[in-house]
Amino acid sequence: MLHNRREHRELSREQMENILFIVVITVFAMLVRMLLFPFESGDYHQFLRGWYEALKNNGGFAAVGMNIGDYMPTYLYFLAIFTYFPVSDLAAIKIISSVADIILAVYVMKIVNLKYENKTYGVLAYTGILFLPSVILNSAVWGQCDSIFTAALVACVYYFMQNKEDRAVTAFAIAFIFKLQAVFLAPLLLLLLLKRKVKLSTFLIVPLVYFVSILPAVMMGRSLTGLLTVYFSQAGQYKMIAMFLPNLYTWLPENTPGYISSAAVILAGGLVLISLFYFYRKKFTITNEVLVTLALFFALFMPFILPHMHERYYFLADILSVIFAFYFPKKFYVPVVTVLSSTYAVCHNLFNTDFFSVQLLGVIMLLVLISVAKHLVDLIKMNRIENEQVLI
């Protein structure tokens, strides 16, 4: 009895220490971001500032019915709320993304905590995400909102690991109403459907969440048809076949004809179907380790094989690669290479950094993708052998 009380006190003290450290390190992470807030990116001048001004000059939330920007209105709702506070447009944009960084780090910590009894590893993962170069640059420098949809996708993976499919699909739906790039994880959900880990009816959550998200904008006067086709409009907006993301198309010239990019989209669809067919035919248990590896594989695979990818589209892979390294410490080089490559691509956009060949980076990312794919195949093979031994 006395031993149990002492152990409980020690555990409580450890928990309190972890909480205190998380609070302190979060303050430091936010201070770093605040010092970077004054940076004005090209996207801020070209898009974000105009959106914020349109909202502020037309009644804040009342203006969400206007045809502002090419994003889903869910992001504009957040911007509209900040127009009521005495804060600059630049600070508001970056505060939203920085808060999302914290939520993202929390879900990463939750996934790592499923692996280790020692919660210190989860705290380290939380810290790592908040100070990851690509994360800081994305939110505090560039003012992008990739942390929002990525946090939802990481939450999706977490809830699947907890066998909470309704929450997982809801999290995916939330990611989708912020960014089309949520589809990078769509093959994972389709595979889980094929493996009967998710009921088909559960996916009705996605259109439901989509409709609820656009309802305020529709009620304020925005076109329902326009809101239902936002992502179709985005798809044809950029003509460059590769926008400095190191992937399959970085070797092609900027003026590559449109029919080649159309063929590239069909090729990507075919490659995804091949991968899904392979994983579907393999008999294996979807453990947490397999799920983490599958998520990372598709987060790398999709932007690598798709055309018209922006510089920051390995952001989801950056985050999942950190989780992957905590689950497989010997593969620590995966996040190192992935994050460095992703950060270089982002710096090229923000600071015109140009000291390394993006074509060579594309080769390096291909090697990372192959390494993760091989690890996944080996993991499935080992999983299958263990299951067969149990049956014997």
XYZ file of all heavy atoms in Angstrom, residues 2 12 20 32 40 61 84 91 97 130 134 141-142 185 228 259 291 297 310 316 334 336 344 365 367 371 379 386:
237
model
N 1.887 1.271 0.892
C 2.802 2.410 0.993
C 3.587 2.574 -0.297
O 3.800 3.692 -0.783
C 3.746 2.211 2.184
C 4.695 3.374 2.509
C 3.892 4.620 2.857
C 5.625 2.993 3.649
N 2.769 11.335 -10.277
C 2.133 12.647 -10.319
C 3.175 13.746 -10.466
O 2.973 14.712 -11.202
C 1.306 12.872 -9.053
O 0.274 11.919 -8.954
N 4.669 21.231 -16.765
C 5.397 22.485 -16.585
C 6.355 22.729 -17.740
O 6.445 23.845 -18.272
C 6.162 22.467 -15.257
C 6.996 23.718 -14.934
C 6.092 24.950 -14.857
C 7.763 23.525 -13.629
N 9.523 32.759 -30.214
C 10.275 32.651 -31.478
C 9.394 33.093 -32.637
O 9.807 33.868 -33.517
C 10.772 31.206 -31.697
C 11.315 31.031 -33.116
C 11.844 30.842 -30.682
N 7.043 39.806 -44.121
C 5.919 39.856 -45.050
C 6.254 39.057 -46.308
O 7.133 39.434 -47.079
C 5.596 41.313 -45.405
C 5.199 42.159 -44.208
C 4.916 43.605 -44.566
O 5.023 43.952 -45.771
O 4.593 44.391 -43.663
N -17.471 39.295 -39.916
C -18.120 38.020 -40.235
C -19.226 38.203 -41.275
O -19.541 37.269 -42.029
C -18.689 37.387 -38.965
C -18.804 35.893 -39.053
C -17.715 35.081 -38.796
C -19.996 35.287 -39.429
C -17.800 33.700 -38.891
C -20.108 33.910 -39.530
C -19.008 33.112 -39.258
N -12.359 41.795 -35.302
C -13.018 42.494 -34.193
C -12.049 42.848 -33.066
O -12.444 43.497 -32.093
C -14.154 41.627 -33.630
C -15.250 41.348 -34.622
C -15.338 40.119 -35.253
C -16.190 42.324 -34.942
C -16.347 39.846 -36.168
C -17.206 42.066 -35.857
C -17.276 40.824 -36.477
O -18.270 40.575 -37.390
N -0.371 39.961 -37.906
C -0.322 39.228 -36.638
C -1.481 38.244 -36.546
O -1.304 37.100 -36.110
C -0.355 40.202 -35.467
N -2.251 30.452 -37.317
C -1.395 29.325 -37.704
C -0.536 28.847 -36.539
O -0.291 27.651 -36.401
C -0.501 29.732 -38.879
O -1.296 30.068 -40.004
N 7.148 21.709 -32.487
C 7.060 23.163 -32.329
C 8.300 23.886 -32.835
O 8.227 25.048 -33.246
C 6.816 23.524 -30.861
C 5.403 23.313 -30.318
C 5.305 23.839 -28.895
C 4.353 23.992 -31.191
N 10.544 23.645 -40.738
C 9.472 23.803 -41.726
C 8.170 24.255 -41.079
O 7.367 24.963 -41.711
C 9.261 22.494 -42.493
O 9.004 21.416 -41.621
N 6.566 32.703 -40.481
C 7.228 33.488 -41.523
C 6.318 33.629 -42.749
O 5.972 34.734 -43.175
C 8.579 32.851 -41.921
C 9.258 33.682 -43.020
C 9.489 32.756 -40.703
N 5.897 32.502 -43.293
C 5.098 32.506 -44.514
C 3.650 32.918 -44.246
O 2.991 33.501 -45.097
C 5.122 31.109 -45.135
C 4.873 31.059 -46.596
C 4.244 31.991 -47.367
C 5.251 30.008 -47.495
N 4.189 31.588 -48.677
C 4.799 30.372 -48.783
C 5.892 28.792 -47.334
C 4.983 29.557 -49.905
C 6.083 27.985 -48.441
C 5.645 28.361 -49.707
N -3.889 11.918 -47.689
C -4.143 10.796 -46.790
C -5.373 9.988 -47.211
O -5.687 8.986 -46.579
C -4.325 11.303 -45.353
C -3.732 10.416 -44.242
C -2.252 10.201 -44.448
C -3.974 11.059 -42.870
N -19.403 24.746 -53.574
C -19.310 23.305 -53.827
C -18.222 22.971 -54.842
O -17.795 21.815 -54.942
C -20.658 22.763 -54.326
C -21.803 22.753 -53.296
C -23.098 22.326 -53.966
C -21.473 21.817 -52.127
N -1.177 18.994 -71.772
C -1.576 17.601 -71.939
C -0.651 16.650 -71.178
O -1.065 15.559 -70.777
C -1.656 17.218 -73.422
C -0.348 17.290 -74.183
C 0.582 16.243 -74.148
C -0.045 18.398 -74.957
C 1.775 16.312 -74.847
C 1.149 18.480 -75.664
C 2.053 17.436 -75.615
O 3.236 17.496 -76.309
N 0.162 1.388 -39.312
C -0.658 2.555 -39.625
C 0.202 3.813 -39.771
O 0.011 4.605 -40.712
C -1.698 2.752 -38.523
C -2.891 3.662 -38.828
C -3.627 3.203 -40.082
C -3.842 3.698 -37.652
N 3.979 6.833 -45.809
C 4.184 6.426 -47.205
C 3.309 7.255 -48.141
O 3.786 7.814 -49.136
C 3.878 4.938 -47.378
C 3.841 4.503 -48.817
C 5.009 4.364 -49.552
C 2.626 4.264 -49.459
C 4.978 3.992 -50.896
C 2.575 3.884 -50.783
C 3.756 3.749 -51.520
N 3.060 22.506 -54.846
C 3.746 23.684 -54.301
C 4.915 23.276 -53.400
O 5.014 22.138 -52.954
C 2.765 24.535 -53.495
C 1.722 25.190 -54.348
N 1.505 26.551 -54.357
C 0.831 24.674 -55.228
C 0.528 26.844 -55.192
N 0.093 25.715 -55.730
N 2.934 17.688 -44.456
C 2.356 16.532 -43.758
C 3.396 15.433 -43.583
O 3.490 14.825 -42.511
C 1.151 16.001 -44.535
C 0.531 14.696 -44.017
C -0.003 14.856 -42.601
C -0.582 14.232 -44.964
N 15.138 9.440 -41.917
C 13.962 9.781 -42.738
C 13.464 11.200 -42.433
O 13.321 12.008 -43.355
C 12.844 8.728 -42.578
C 11.552 9.202 -43.245
C 13.278 7.393 -43.169
N 15.138 13.565 -40.938
C 16.245 14.495 -41.178
C 16.264 14.919 -42.643
O 16.271 16.115 -42.972
C 17.595 13.868 -40.776
C 18.749 14.762 -41.233
C 17.669 13.653 -39.269
N 14.292 23.443 -47.414
C 15.016 24.101 -48.505
C 14.043 24.607 -49.568
O 14.182 25.734 -50.068
C 16.016 23.133 -49.135
C 16.748 23.732 -50.313
C 17.810 24.614 -50.111
C 16.363 23.447 -51.619
C 18.469 25.194 -51.186
C 17.015 24.016 -52.698
C 18.070 24.881 -52.478
O 18.714 25.465 -53.530
N 14.621 12.554 -52.418
C 13.285 12.261 -51.905
C 12.760 10.936 -52.455
O 12.017 10.216 -51.773
C 12.317 13.391 -52.237
C 12.567 14.671 -51.456
S 12.596 14.413 -49.655
C 10.924 13.856 -49.347
N 14.651 8.357 -53.009
C 15.329 7.350 -52.185
C 14.661 7.226 -50.813
O 14.536 6.115 -50.280
C 16.809 7.723 -52.031
C 17.646 7.679 -53.316
C 19.072 8.170 -53.044
C 17.673 6.273 -53.907
N 12.865 3.927 -49.374
C 13.247 3.395 -48.061
C 12.020 3.149 -47.194
O 11.901 2.102 -46.546
C 14.196 4.372 -47.364
O 14.481 3.953 -46.048
N 7.654 -4.717 -42.928
C 6.798 -4.703 -41.739
C 5.572 -5.581 -41.953
O 5.186 -6.361 -41.069
C 6.375 -3.256 -41.449
C 5.909 -2.900 -40.031
C 7.016 -3.152 -39.024
C 5.477 -1.435 -39.995
N 4.206 -13.520 -38.330
C 3.820 -13.650 -36.907
C 2.387 -14.161 -36.781
O 2.086 -15.001 -35.934
C 3.960 -12.288 -36.222
C 5.415 -11.875 -36.006
C 5.526 -10.481 -35.423
O 4.479 -9.809 -35.288
O 6.659 -10.053 -35.115
